[in-house]
Amino acid sequence: MQRTFYAILEQAPKIKIIKRSNVNLRMDATYFEKFCLICYQDNLDGYTQLIRFTDKEDYQEMKEDLENLIKLGIRIESITTDGHKSILKAIKRSVPEAKVQRCLVHIQRMCLLWLTRYPKHIAGQELRSIVLMLLKIQTQNDKTFWVQEFNSWYTRHRLYINEKTINEETGRYWYTHKLLRRSYSTIKSALPNMFHYIKNSNIPRTTNGIEGFFSHLKNHLDIHRGLTTKNRMNFIKWYIFLTNLK
């Protein structure tokens, strides 16, 4: 059985790209011990159109991947992503007409991490409550109310958020409440691309689907911990190939 298993791993299949229109991609990366896997999945049925083994989420490589998908007949309507700078730059350069949907779970998770469970100042407490409402937004009215709450919060606490600490010897300064300000800045920069899913229900609002896929993949791969790096990669190719057949 072991010989058969390794013989199969030596002949990993190629992932077939299916020509489709109005594709809503889920795009994400996950890291293994010696490499990074980037996946481009169709949200319609979870079909993985393209994968790349690499060292990190590199702008040039992801730009090339997206351009190749377009050349091979994939018409991309939207891409849902966690907001990594290299991914956003690659999308802007290769498919500027596509809607970029920022993952709401990722935004919420990071803000709650920075704000902590029990913020000491009222500004942090109020922003935490606003962030917790994020995944409940379903309609245009919900969005309008949430954005108004967020803007009102900033107006009330603007001076506190922008408070600076100055080093009198060097003249350098930094924002005193940097984690609170980071939470605000993250939401503010993502705001134009947070709610495309309201107008188009085919656009996924999170990358949960692909993150769940990664979790199942790693669970299966962990059973075979003695594999070489090459065979681990081939195992992943087989897993994705067979998953796509379903």
Side-chain angles (χ1 to χ4, degrees), residues 103-114 131 207-208 211:
C103 175
L104 299 189
V105 167
H106 187 268
I107 294 172
Q108 185 184 71
R109 184 189 303 147
M110 297 310 299
C111 288
L112 292 178
L113 178 65
W114 295 327
V131 169
T207 57
N208 283 0
E211 288 181 7

Side-chain angles (χ1 to χ4, degrees), residues 22 79 88 185 189 236:
N22 301 324
I79 301 176
L88 295 178
S185 299
S189 62
I236 291 171

